[in-house]
Amino acid sequence: MSFKFILPALFALLATPSMTAAGQSPHDDFGGATALNRAEWFKAEDYPESALYNERQGTVYVAFDILPDGRASGCTVARTSGHADLDRHACRLIQNRARFRPATDTAGNAVPAKGKTRFVYALS
């Protein structure tokens, strides 16, 4: 058995993956909408397996639409992490998990908004 295959696998087992959100920071803008379930967007156990195995880390900045029903849609990568798997993963998470109290117009009706945030993928 070759060491070049054993060492990355061993590192993957020993590394502690983490994914964090920026919290309410200058990187977050939800266009008048309010994030409802932010703690559910990112979980360490969701770290992409291929990225974990290949020790990939990075920060992904994403932009997305917030629909009047509070769901995120149309996610695009505004600034790449440099790793396509991390970038795809961030958009998949935001579209599948993020929920918002939608922005409203002056009459109190839910309206679409634009959102942006970042995902930080790190191994420690």
Side-chain angles (χ1 to χ4, degrees):
M1 200 179 281
S2 171
F3 283 109
K4 68 181 182 181
F5 295 112
I6 294 173
L7 292 178
L10 181 59
F11 179 81
L13 291 173
L14 298 175
T16 304
S18 67
M19 294 168 27
T20 58
Q24 281 303 112
S25 80
H27 303 286
D28 293 331
D29 180 1
F30 303 133
T34 303
L36 296 176
N37 66 334
R38 188 149 183 120
E40 297 172 24
W41 295 3
F42 318 105
K43 297 178 180 155
E45 60 268 18
D46 294 328
Y47 207 102
E49 189 174 316
S50 62
L52 181 60
Y53 181 79
N54 291 298
E55 303 173 27
R56 288 194 281 267
Q57 303 178 79
T59 302
V60 183
Y61 292 81
V62 295
F64 51 94
D65 298 317
I66 301 171
L67 305 176
D69 67 2
R71 291 180 299 117
S73 178
C75 180
T76 60
V77 174
R79 189 174 357 158
T80 181
S81 65
H83 305 289
D85 54 350
L86 297 180
D87 296 348
R88 281 189 307 271
H89 188 255
C91 273
R92 188 169 42 252
L93 287 180
I94 202 83
Q95 291 181 152
N96 290 338
R97 293 189 179 159
R99 296 296 178 262
F100 298 87
R101 181 178 311 110
T104 55
D105 61 17
T106 55
N109 300 311
V111 295
K114 298 288 185 185
K116 65 179 182 174
T117 193
R118 71 178 180 178
F119 289 65
V120 179
Y121 293 85
L123 297 171
S124 55

